[in-house]
Amino acid sequence: MFEDFLYLLRRNGLRVSLTEWMALMEALDKNLHEASFTGFYHLSRCLLVKSEADFDAFDRAFLDYFRDVSFQPEVSRELLDWLDRPNAPTGAYDEQQAELNETLSVLEIEELFQERKREQREQHNCGNYWAGTHGMSIFGNMGLSPVGIRVGGQSTARRAFRVAEERRFRDFRHDNTLDTRQLQVALRRLRQFSSLVDLPPTEFDVDGTIQDTASSAGMLKVRYKKPRQNTVKVILLMDSGGSMEHYAQLCSALFQAMTRAGHFKELKIYYFHNCPYTRLYTDPTLNPSRAVPVSWLLSNLSPEYKLIFTGDAQMSPHEIFDPFPVPREGEPASGLDCLRRLRERYRHAVWLNPGDRPDWGGEWTESYDAIEGLFPMFPLTVEGIEAGVKKLLAR
């Protein structure tokens, strides 16, 4: 049953064992796919694919094998036609609706999206409920909502956390070795901070051995020196979610480069969304149970740490400038206050930005300019990292 599908998967580079294949046959016999073609896709991918890096190869093979089967797309052609209005007038920005949209979780937005697809019967634009364009709705494209799902159209503000029907599996491939390697080379300049440690001379000194041998008329004299040790301590703060989803692959390469090969004596990595505010998180999902107060960071990690921010510095001005309603004692009073405290504590600090300054003007540039005024900002490229590292090395 489907033996030629097995061989097609193998030809596409997927190492599917007979044990895994027989497990799929057993699962089909037990109707775990619920007699559904979509169920079969998810079941076979679950049992036959070992890594996210192979999702794209599996999809290509699956589409090739079942090319004559009609698929049910996530979004109907009719809805996409309704949303194809690039030159439609833009609706008014609604601050209250924007705040309401931001209170919704990703799961809630996904559930609402499924409801709208079942209910919507006509074109809607400049609104805040249906899937449309140029409005405050959390579904559609070219809208003004700070969060949502993009359906059709082109990316503009890059605030959507997901694009309907977009295949993102390539982001997990392992074929970005060259990019990671280049970033690693750029980061190695931080090793200039390495220093001699007070240990017995156990490291072979090539230059000293040559000099001593030459001074003794060619009689070999081996010299040893004290080992050097990397004394660099780094705090890496990474923006996660929202518009940063667009740069997932680039940030993944940076993360790999930072965590490989022992560039630093200590590396502390925390995550935030848009701005640290009063809390940082130890995982990119921003799990509240793994939060770390910014005040703890300021009190427990000494000023000798080098601070590296990674983010696009794009957010609504109220997110960074407005004071918190009830600030806690010892905690920052606003997003900007938090950034100021971090800048004052860690004098060697840079901001690596994967994007450019917003070109649509207006209030969206205020946050970007305020952050750029606090931190030396460099593009998240090999050249930008080299320039940023040079800034960190400045005495």
Side-chain angles (χ1 to χ4, degrees), residues 326-344:
V326 186
R328 297 180 180 179
E329 184 177 356
E331 296 285 353
S334 67
L336 189 61
D337 182 41
C338 173
L339 294 175
R340 282 196 184 117
R341 292 192 187 192
L342 288 167
R343 185 71 177 96
E344 291 169 358

Side-chain angles (χ1 to χ4, degrees), residues 183-251:
L183 294 175
Q184 283 182 291
V185 171
L187 289 166
R188 278 187 184 149
R189 292 191 60 178
L190 280 171
R191 290 185 176 178
Q192 293 180 25
F193 272 106
S194 63
S195 61
L196 296 173
V197 293
D198 192 17
L199 291 174
T202 57
E203 187 174 301
F204 181 57
D205 185 353
V206 177
D207 293 336
T209 296
I210 293 173
Q211 182 179 349
D212 289 353
T213 300
S215 300
S216 59
M219 181 69 68
L220 179 63
K221 287 193 175 182
V222 178
R223 185 194 295 186
Y224 293 90
K225 61 183 178 181
K226 294 182 179 180
R228 299 186 71 87
Q229 188 177 78
N230 199 330
T231 58
V232 180
K233 298 181 179 181
V234 171
I235 302 172
L236 175 64
L237 303 184
M238 302 188 75
D239 191 354
S240 177
S243 57
M244 287 299 292
E245 290 290 335
H246 182 77
Y247 307 107
Q249 186 173 7
L250 184 58
C251 290

Side-chain angles (χ1 to χ4, degrees), residues 170-171 175-176 179 245-254:
R170 290 185 180 86
D171 289 352
D175 56 4
N176 60 345
D179 294 337
E245 290 290 335
H246 182 77
Y247 307 107
Q249 186 173 7
L250 184 58
C251 290
S252 173
L254 175 66

Side-chain angles (χ1 to χ4, degrees), residues 114-127:
Q114 299 305 319
E115 291 180 11
R116 298 295 187 275
K117 287 194 297 181
R118 290 191 296 267
E119 298 171 354
Q120 189 159 345
R121 296 291 181 269
E122 59 184 12
Q123 177 177 303
H124 293 272
N125 297 285
C126 299

